[in-house]
Amino acid sequence: MEEMAAQRRVDEEAVRLSGKTDDEVAAELEAAEERFAKAGTEFEAASAHRDAMRAVMEQCKRLSGNYRPGENAAKAQRLRDRLAEGKRRR
């Protein structure tokens, strides 16, 4: 409880020193929360789009006959190995 009270005093002091009224701070906080919510929504939409595009790419590979998961996994592992080797050389 003491930590919470101390943090509240620090927060109140920061607001007082900022020279802004409580209403100004509240408005800025609300605007920041709206931007944060919008960014979260946009992130979720972008993630869903990415996942859909990956599914489409996989389906295209299957239909074209170029779908060889084992081969792709081996290529990915070789790339990871080369990257790790490059890091070790530095």
Side-chain angles (χ1 to χ4, degrees):
M1 286 300 269
E2 289 180 14
E3 280 186 31
M4 289 174 54
Q7 183 61 50
R8 182 176 175 92
R9 286 191 300 275
V10 168
D11 292 345
E12 290 171 348
E13 182 66 9
V15 170
R16 186 186 70 73
L17 292 173
S18 73
K20 296 180 180 181
T21 67
D22 289 349
D23 290 340
E24 290 171 326
V25 171
E28 285 185 24
L29 179 59
E30 184 177 338
E33 288 173 345
E34 288 174 6
R35 288 192 309 272
F36 184 75
K38 182 180 177 186
T41 300
E42 289 174 356
F43 176 79
E44 289 174 12
S47 295
H49 182 74
R50 179 204 60 216
D51 294 344
M53 290 296 94
R54 284 182 177 166
V56 167
M57 297 270 306
E58 289 298 313
Q59 186 65 22
C60 288
K61 288 177 186 177
R62 284 187 192 101
L63 294 173
S64 71
N66 292 330
Y67 186 69
R68 296 184 288 274
E71 183 179 309
N72 291 340
K75 285 180 183 177
Q77 185 58 50
R78 284 192 302 272
L79 178 59
R80 284 190 292 273
D81 292 345
R82 286 183 10 210
L83 289 170
E85 179 63 28
K87 287 180 182 178
R88 282 192 293 269
R89 288 182 184 173
R90 288 187 215 159

